[in-house]
Amino acid sequence: MEESGEFQMLMGEFHHNIDEKNRLVIPSKFRNELGDTFIVTRGLDGCLFVYSKDEWAKITEKLKTLPFTQANARKFTRFLLSGAIEAELDKSGRVGITSHLIEYAGITKECVIIGANDRIEIWSKDSWDKFMSDNDEEFASIAENLFTAGDYNAL
């Protein structure tokens, strides 16, 4: 996800359908950022997270620093790593997604693929629509709490 040493932020929203063989087209905008092989795993909020191998290495290095004696560290590590698969695009720009990941994300046909800074998220359309509608009125106050006036005036 880096070009000339510069991080390329993943952003945008795309709508695609998963086919009968559990393949999903990854938007061309994201394909170069992911590289030849990448990781798909369970994400938070009921979606799937997709990481380039470089970004995945950063995540796993952080997981290694968590104390295995803490129950929450063990739980989260199991959650994230047990669902992870190494994936690659076919000649048509599609990725095959395993049935356990499709089931976790509640994907039936329509999907929303979003860029989320250092990762891609894959949502069922229904889950994405619900997330947006459930949180629509909160986004302004969330931004207010996350950023102080001096941190980011553009908001």
Side-chain angles (χ1 to χ4, degrees):
M1 276 196 286
E2 295 186 14
E3 186 178 291
S4 307
E6 218 176 286
F7 176 76
Q8 298 296 304
M9 181 183 300
L10 297 166
M11 58 186 178
E13 178 179 323
F14 304 87
H15 295 251
H16 291 280
N17 290 333
I18 196 161
D19 70 16
E20 65 283 346
K21 294 182 180 178
N22 294 343
R23 297 175 301 193
L24 179 64
V25 172
I26 298 297
S28 58
K29 179 178 180 176
F30 296 146
R31 292 179 199 163
N32 287 339
E33 309 300 333
L34 289 176
D36 294 333
T37 59
F38 49 91
I39 305 301
V40 182
T41 192
R42 291 182 197 103
L44 303 174
D45 303 315
C47 70
L48 303 178
F49 286 173
V50 182
Y51 290 100
S52 70
K53 296 278 285 259
D54 288 344
E55 289 299 319
W56 183 248
K58 292 176 188 176
I59 299 289
T60 56
E61 284 303 312
K62 179 64 176 169
L63 290 174
K64 288 178 188 178
T65 68
L66 299 177
F68 75 92
T69 55
Q70 290 186 1
N72 284 341
R74 293 192 308 273
K75 287 176 187 176
F76 185 73
T77 299
R78 289 174 187 143
F79 167 80
L80 195 67
L81 296 180
S82 68
I85 61 166
E86 188 172 277
E88 60 186 322
L89 298 172
D90 66 14
K91 292 178 184 176
S92 300
R94 298 173 301 196
V95 60
I97 302 176
T98 59
S99 57
H100 76 277
L101 290 174
I102 288 171
E103 185 178 319
Y104 170 78
I107 296 170
T108 54
K109 183 171 181 163
E110 295 178 89
C111 297
V112 179
I113 304 165
I114 65 165
N117 194 15
D118 63 345
R119 70 181 175 277
I120 295 167
E121 295 181 356
I122 301 172
W123 293 75
S124 74
K125 183 178 183 319
D126 290 343
S127 294
W128 177 250
D129 290 346
K130 182 173 177 6
F131 169 80
M132 292 300 287
S133 67
D134 286 354
N135 294 287
D136 185 49
E137 294 182 14
E138 292 182 55
F139 291 131
S141 64
I142 290 170
E144 192 174 295
N145 290 323
L146 289 177
F147 299 97
T148 61
D151 287 341
Y152 198 70
N153 291 322
L155 288 177

